[in-house]
């Protein structure tokens, strides 16, 4: 009996396994943790985290959406309620495990660690504790070891505070949504500098910029086009080809607790996030091949 291996190689199964033993496919590729971050508010971090997560799940990846923002917009965006004690807060303080916080959503293969307002206190509480930048890394360890997920997407708050830094320390990559507006690049040098420091001082030597995604793009305006070309000049190939259009359907979907592909499958926003998911996966898979 033959199976196609990861790179198209034929794998021969031992006779013992062939004979009646049933086994479940489990990915040997380690879980990738990607932080969706930009300290600027309202640039499309949550919209990107929720919709990319849903599109990745729809194409067969096992996805964990981790809401690390006390505003809990990603939580309501996938139709979960904000419930006291349901967030990662206690697990980050070393009380209880993060595995217990994982909830199923209404969407196949999409799970969630919800947020709620208690996470507001985490910045202050964590600042006073030991290893305060490693708390997300430590809490996520059993989740990664469980091999239940292919991708963990972390929706970060709009700041470069302790929660976001924790996500950067735990992550393999950072995905930066940039809104197509005049000040898009403002503050990005700060984000870049922090990523370089974590990389260079050994805190997270494998941290990469997974990519920059342009959001709320309006092809009718010259401004959108100018901003995109300026950002491409700055980040080169790290900018995803796919740009997310400004779309009312995308803005409405969270109020129905649904990602866009489940709210309006044939909208422009749906198509854009489906394409982004393909590009995103191509980058992740390329990274895995390079390391494997
Ligand atoms: N492509 C889009 N078209 C239209 N509206 C959008 C689009 N992307 C996001 N929005 C809307 O813009 C607002 C901000 O988006 P979002 O919440 O995703 O940003 P954010 O960066 O997560 O914000 P915060 O910094 O507060 O966490 C929301 O009302 C959202 O519905
Ligand atoms: Mg947000």
């Amino acid at each position: 009996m033959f199976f196609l291996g990861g790179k198209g190689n034929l794998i021969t199964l031992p006779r013992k396994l062939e004979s009646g033993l049933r086994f479940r496919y489990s990915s040997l590729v380690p879980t990738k943790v990607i932080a969706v971050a930009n300290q600027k508010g309202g640039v499309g971090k949550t919209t990107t985290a929720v919709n990319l997560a849903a599109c990745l799940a729809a194409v067969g990846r096992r996805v964990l959406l981790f809401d690390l923002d006390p505003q809990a917009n990603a939580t309501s965006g996938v139709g979960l309620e904000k419930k006291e004690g349901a967030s990662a807060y206690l697990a980050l303080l070393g009380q209880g495990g993060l595995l217990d916080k994982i909830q199923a959503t209404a969407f196949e293969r999409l799970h969630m660690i919800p947020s709620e307002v208690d996470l507001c206190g985490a910045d202050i509480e964590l600042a006073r504790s030991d290893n305060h930048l490693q708390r997300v890394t430590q809490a996520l360890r059993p989740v990664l070891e469980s091999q239940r997920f292919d991708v963990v997407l972390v929706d970060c708050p709009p700041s470069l505070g302790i929660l976001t830094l924790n996500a950067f320390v735990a992550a393999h990559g950072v995905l930066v949504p940039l809104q197509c507006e005049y000040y898009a690049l403002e503050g990005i040098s700060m984000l870049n500098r922090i990523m370089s420091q974590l990389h260079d001082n050994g805190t997270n030597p494998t941290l990469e910029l997974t990519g920059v995604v342009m959001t709320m793009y309006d092809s009718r305006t010259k401004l959108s086009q100018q901003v995109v070309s300026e950002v491409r000049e700055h980040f080169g190939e790290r900018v995803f080809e796919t740009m997310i259009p400004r779309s009312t359907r995308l803005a409405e979907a969270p109020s129905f607790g649904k990602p866009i592909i489940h709210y309006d499958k044939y909208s422009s926003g749906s198509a854009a996030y489906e394409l982004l998911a393909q590009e995103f996966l191509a980058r992740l898979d390329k990274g895995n091949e390079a390391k494997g």
Side-chain angles (χ1 to χ4, degrees):
M1 190 176 193
F2 297 103
F3 277 82
L4 265 186
K7 290 177 182 161
N9 306 322
L10 282 179
I11 298 169
T12 317
L13 274 184
R15 287 256 163 248
K16 243 200 242 164
L17 268 184
E18 268 188 57
S19 58
L21 244 189
R22 284 221 253 142
F23 64 101
R24 206 165 53 90
Y25 168 77
S26 91
S27 160
L28 292 177
V29 177
T31 311
K32 283 280 180 199
V33 181
I34 307 294
V36 182
N38 184 339
Q39 76 267 39
K40 239 176 154 195
V43 297
K45 291 180 288 294
T46 302
T47 305
T48 297
V50 165
N51 290 303
L52 180 59
C55 290
L56 293 171
V59 295
R61 304 291 168 129
R62 301 163 306 162
V63 184
L64 178 62
L65 180 57
F66 184 176
D67 193 347
L68 203 54
D69 182 354
Q71 298 181 94
N73 294 337
T75 302
S76 46
V78 296
L80 294 188
E81 287 190 15
K82 302 170 194 177
K83 266 200 230 127
E84 207 182 315
S87 81
Y89 177 65
L90 288 176
L92 296 183
L93 295 179
Q95 298 166 31
L98 207 50
L99 275 168
D100 297 336
K101 303 292 178 193
I102 297 174
Q103 292 187 25
T105 68
F107 315 105
E108 209 180 345
R109 287 180 295 274
L110 178 58
H111 284 74
M112 168 115 220
I113 298 174
S115 168
E116 53 117 4
V117 76
D118 64 359
L119 260 188
C120 273
D123 259 348
I124 298 165
E125 292 285 334
L126 290 183
R128 289 196 291 233
S129 55
D130 296 337
N131 292 332
H132 63 280
L133 292 185
Q134 319 282 344
R135 292 308 180 106
V136 168
T137 311
Q138 286 166 353
L140 268 179
R141 198 162 290 140
V143 177
L144 304 194
E145 282 168 5
S146 74
Q147 294 213 339
R148 279 179 61 188
F149 302 101
D150 299 307
V151 183
V152 178
L153 284 181
V154 187
D155 186 30
C156 294
S159 82
L160 289 171
I162 288 183
L163 286 172
T164 301
L165 291 180
N166 260 273
F168 285 5
V169 173
H172 300 96
V174 179
L175 173 62
V176 181
L178 282 188
Q179 188 180 343
C180 292
E181 47 133 34
Y182 189 63
Y183 293 114
L185 283 169
E186 200 185 58
I188 285 300
S189 58
M190 179 83 93
L191 190 146
N192 251 336
R193 195 172 336 136
I194 285 181
M195 284 181 62
S196 306
Q197 276 173 2
L198 293 173
H199 186 277
D200 298 346
N201 72 16
T203 310
N204 185 353
T206 52
L207 184 64
E208 287 174 351
L209 176 65
T210 303
V212 173
V213 56
M214 303 304 304
T215 63
M216 301 183 228
Y217 178 74
D218 184 346
S219 59
R220 294 166 306 179
T221 67
K222 231 184 159 72
L223 178 64
S224 268
Q225 294 163 19
Q226 278 167 354
V227 172
V228 170
S229 62
E230 192 187 342
V231 171
R232 284 198 193 284
E233 229 166 78
H234 191 85
F235 285 105
E237 286 186 346
R238 286 291 91 192
V239 185
F240 286 102
E241 290 291 327
T242 309
M243 295 186 283
I244 309 302
R246 185 175 277 285
S247 127
T248 317
R249 304 300 268 168
L250 271 174
E252 289 170 357
S255 60
F256 294 87
K258 287 182 179 177
I260 189 72
I261 49 164
H262 301 289
Y263 173 63
D264 188 352
K265 173 125 187 72
Y266 300 104
S267 61
S268 60
S270 225
Y273 276 108
E274 282 173 318
L275 283 173
L276 182 68
Q278 283 180 25
E279 261 196 84
F280 176 85
L281 282 177
R283 288 191 187 189
L284 284 199
D285 292 345
K286 205 168 164 193
N288 285 330
E289 270 171 33
K291 277 167 197 146

